[in-house]
Structure formats: C-alpha cells, structure tokens
Amino acid sequence: MATEIKPRKVLDKIKPYSPGKPIWELQEELGLDKVIKLASNENPLGPSPKGIEAISAGLTELNRYPDADTAALKEAIAGKLDVKKEQLIVTNGADELITLMSEAFLDEGDEIVVPSPSFSEYDFGADLMGATVVPVPFDEGFQFNVQKILDAITEKTKLLYICSPNNPTGTYLSKSDFDELVAAVPKRVLIVFDGAYSHYATAEDYTDGLEYVRADKNVLVLQTFSKVYGLAGLRVGFGAAPETVIQTILKVKEPFNVNSLAQAAAKAAIADDEHVNASIESNTSGAKELYQAFSELGLSYVETTSNFILVQLGPDAEKLYNDLLAKGVIVRYGKIWGLPEYVRVTIGTKEENEFFVEVLKEVLSK
Ligand SMILES: Cc1ncc(COP(=O)(O)O)c(C=O)c1O
C-alpha cells in the first residue's frame, strides 16, 4: 500500500549522496577483468596491518556492546595529538561528526559559511536542519581568500568550515591566513577545520589546526581513519575541540556509534607509523609521476597537498570521464562541484597510476 506520510519539508532539497561507483558494479556492468578505482581518496596500500591484527583479536568479544565512551581509542588519540581526552569525540566516520555538529548547533534559518567547492557533507548537514549554506568562491587557482570568507559571516552564521587540504581542489589555507581567521571570526561562530587529509600536507606554512585546539581557541579539528590509516570501510572519525563544544555535541550522539572492531583497529592504526609513513611516501612519489604524465599530455592540474589531483580535461571532460569508465578506470567527474571541465583522480599505487595514464592516453587520442 502506498504511504501518504509526508517527509519533512527540508528534505525536498536533499539528494541522496552519490558515491564513486564501486569496482564490482563496473566489473559486472561492463564485463571487465581489470577495474581500478581512483575516485574516493582511499589509501591504495590497504589498511594498517596493525589495525587488521587488532580486528582479529577483537572478534571473540563481539557478543559485547562496544565502549560507548571509546575510552581506549580516545586515550591513544589524545597521546598522539597532545590534546586532552575531554577535548575529543569519536564518531562513525567524520561524516557522522558533521551531521552531529549540524544537529547540535544549527537551527532553521542559521547559516554555515563554506569556501567552495568543497566536501558535500557540510551542505547535507545544513540542509537537514533547514539551515542555509553560504558558499564563498575560491580565488584564481582555487586559493582561499580570507577577506571574502570574513565578509560572508553574518549575525546568522554558526559554523565556518575550512577544509584544508580542500576536497576536491587539493589546495590549503596557510597558517598565517588561519591565524587571521581565528583572530577575526566572532566567538559565536565555530570554525570547523576539516583535516581529513592533513597527513599528506607537508608544506612549511601548513597547519593541521591542532595547535589552536591546544590553545583552547574556537576551533574544532575533524580527522578521519578513512584516509592515511586505510580504514574507510570501518567508519571511524573524530573531532578535537574545546571541552564545552565536545560536551554539546555529545548530547546528540547515540551511545554505541562506533563499533568495537573499529575502535580496536583505529587504536592500533594510529600507532602504526610504518604504515602511515609508507602511505605518505607512496603518495608523494605517485603525485610526481602523475604531474609528469599530465604535463606530457599538455593537461593543466592543480598542485595538490593531498592524496588526489584535480586535473583539467577541457570541454570534453564528461565524455573522457565516461570513456575512462568504459575502460575500467573510475575517477570523479567534476560537474558535481560546478567544475565540468575537470576530473578528480585519487593517487593510486604505482601500478594503478601507470594503468590510469595508459588508459588516459588512449581516450585522449581517440
Ligand atoms: C574532506 C573530507 N572530510 C570528511 C570526510 C569523511 O570521512 P569519513 O570517511 O571519516 O566519513 C571525507 C571523505 O571523503 C572528506 O573528503
């Protein structure tokens, strides 16, 4: 029987998230043997081996509920990042934290400010609560413009998102610019610093935002175990912020939001320096290989401080994106970010990068 129940009005605005196509789906659709996915900024080296060991050890305890307070994991994060346990909240992926912050701070009619294009979940959280998204365009070369960001803040602004390195551009906000923002933004606005890709950012003037949390500034730093730690499938993220901010967000958190295997694996992965360093090294050399290939093909790209590259394929980008798909290479098409001439490619293993470049050459020469 068809239902007549009406959804909340704000849902009219919300379209379900469209993730990159999974490998199996493309394989089934096109009967391809080899498919590579460079579309979701995952770690191509795989999960932290120490994380996998911790999962095996935790299997026999699955009859128990997980620790609602994620105490052991918080202790590990606090030790690693030099913040207090009370300044941390652990969530079911950083995505959940974005939703929880939206639920905790946004009333209908409030505003969030987002240098754009950026990660779509900020808009989702605002839309869900009936709040308004105020996008701030980047300058030339997708550079942040602090003055434009400050100009966008109004009486209604509650959250300012700074994604650095920014997804999908790979550009970052310098420490001096962030200092300026922190000093100028009114205290009634929480600055959310999304450092999902912080580990990959090695520039001298980069900040991962954590020093501001240690100094008890009005900043929440969000990080995830889905990228450099290679645990995207487990769904663990966290926020570090002043204790009062954390206390507020905890009010809307479900008790058992992070499962026990995820907690155990994340605790082991954060101590797995070998895996983290190998992942960063592989990413740095992969970026160089891809830059060189793009230059040889006469394609412009945005220099990245992250594990993905935004590359300009020109007016035929959509066709080229589909041609790549048909040959087993999944990247992200830029139209979703208002960048119809671009694709975003995740830096893969050496072998994946080579396969991507080979197929890119083929589709460009057609
Ligand atoms: C900028 C940014 N923030 C947050 C996330 C969410 O990460 P998680 O997998 O922990 O939900 C992503 C995932 O792609 C991201 O790109």
Side-chain angles (χ1 to χ4, degrees):
M1 193 179 72
T3 176
E4 290 183 4
I5 187 162
K6 287 210 171 64
R8 287 171 59 217
K9 197 82 199 107
V10 294
L11 300 195
D12 287 353
K13 250 190 152 177
I14 297 179
K15 289 194 206 86
Y17 180 76
S18 94
K21 237 181 218 297
I23 292 179
W24 62 264
E25 196 178 313
L26 195 67
Q27 254 167 345
E28 264 180 26
E29 254 176 45
L30 301 177
L32 293 167
D33 284 340
K34 176 163 178 165
V35 171
I36 62 164
K37 184 179 172 212
L38 302 175
S40 298
N41 307 337
E42 294 151 341
N43 186 332
L45 299 192
S48 149
K50 291 199 169 129
I52 298 176
E53 266 173 47
I55 290 176
S56 313
L59 287 172
T60 52
E61 291 287 322
L62 280 179
N63 53 319
R64 305 286 172 203
Y65 279 96
D67 174 12
D69 184 38
T70 61
L73 176 54
K74 277 206 277 198
E75 187 140 346
I77 298 170
K80 190 79 182 176
L81 306 186
D82 188 22
V83 295
K84 288 189 266 171
K85 270 190 317 200
E86 296 74 18
Q87 290 179 306
L88 293 171
I89 177 169
V90 182
T91 53
N92 187 29
D95 281 351
E96 188 198 18
L97 179 56
I98 296 168
T99 305
L100 295 180
M101 282 188 291
S102 308
E103 288 171 355
F105 297 114
L106 300 178
D107 275 318
E108 208 172 318
D110 284 344
E111 294 175 355
I112 68 164
V113 171
V114 187
S116 298
S118 194
F119 187 48
S120 62
E121 290 301 288
Y122 314 144
D123 296 16
F124 167 74
D127 289 344
L128 193 62
M129 303 313 295
T132 304
V133 181
V134 179
V136 179
F138 284 107
D139 281 354
E140 183 80 24
F142 303 104
Q143 297 300 319
F144 288 84
N145 181 316
V146 173
Q147 195 51 53
K148 280 193 202 155
I149 297 169
L150 289 173
D151 290 346
I153 291 174
T154 71
E155 294 279 288
K156 293 182 182 165
T157 310
K158 294 294 268 305
L159 301 175
L160 161 62
Y161 281 97
I162 298 292
C163 185
S164 177
N166 184 53
N167 177 9
T169 60
T171 46
Y172 70 99
L173 182 77
S174 70
K175 177 168 158 37
S176 55
D177 279 351
F178 196 56
D179 277 339
E180 204 180 319
L181 268 184
V182 174
V185 169
K187 299 286 172 282
R188 58 183 165 75
V189 177
L190 178 66
I191 305 175
V192 180
F193 184 100
D194 187 338
Y197 302 97
S198 278
H199 286 89
Y200 298 105
T202 50
E204 283 276 312
D205 60 346
Y206 175 75
T207 173
D208 61 10
L210 286 162
E211 61 202 283
Y212 300 85
V213 175
R214 287 179 208 118
D216 212 30
K217 300 287 184 196
N218 192 27
V219 173
L220 180 144
V221 170
L222 168 162
Q223 288 197 7
T224 176
F225 283 88
S226 299
K227 307 300 174 184
V228 83
Y229 300 110
L231 300 178
L234 283 178
R235 316 301 302 123
V236 197
F238 65 89
E243 282 182 50
T244 49
V245 171
I246 296 297
Q247 288 303 328
T248 304
I249 306 173
L250 282 173
K251 288 188 180 179
V252 292
K253 179 184 96 64
E254 285 176 26
F256 305 112
N257 60 330
V258 184
N259 73 69
S260 51
L261 299 182
Q263 291 189 33
K267 178 173 173 271
I270 202 168
D272 194 348
D273 291 340
E274 202 180 327
H275 177 258
V276 168
N277 293 336
S279 304
I280 295 170
E281 263 169 46
S282 151
N283 190 67
T284 309
S285 53
K288 281 195 199 130
E289 284 155 19
L290 290 176
Y291 289 163
Q292 186 169 348
F294 295 147
S295 299
E296 281 168 18
L297 290 166
L299 298 170
S300 343
Y301 57 87
V302 185
E303 218 162 285
T304 189
T305 45
S306 196
N307 69 345
F308 53 83
I309 304 174
L310 193 62
V311 53
Q312 190 167 17
L313 298 183
D316 292 338
E318 185 160 19
K319 178 180 177 303
L320 292 166
Y321 159 78
N322 283 313
D323 291 348
L324 285 168
L325 260 189
K327 289 180 178 283
V329 176
I330 316 174
V331 296
R332 256 319 168 86
Y333 178 43
K335 207 172 184 173
I336 39 168
W337 303 297
L339 301 170
E341 294 206 351
Y342 289 81
V343 296
R344 186 197 68 193
V345 55
T346 303
I347 299 164
T349 58
K350 192 170 170 50
E351 198 218 339
E352 286 170 334
N353 296 336
E354 282 168 1
F355 184 66
F356 162 63
V357 170
E358 189 187 306
V359 175
L360 182 62
K361 278 185 188 153
E362 275 171 41
V363 299
L364 283 167
S365 65
K366 267 210 302 191

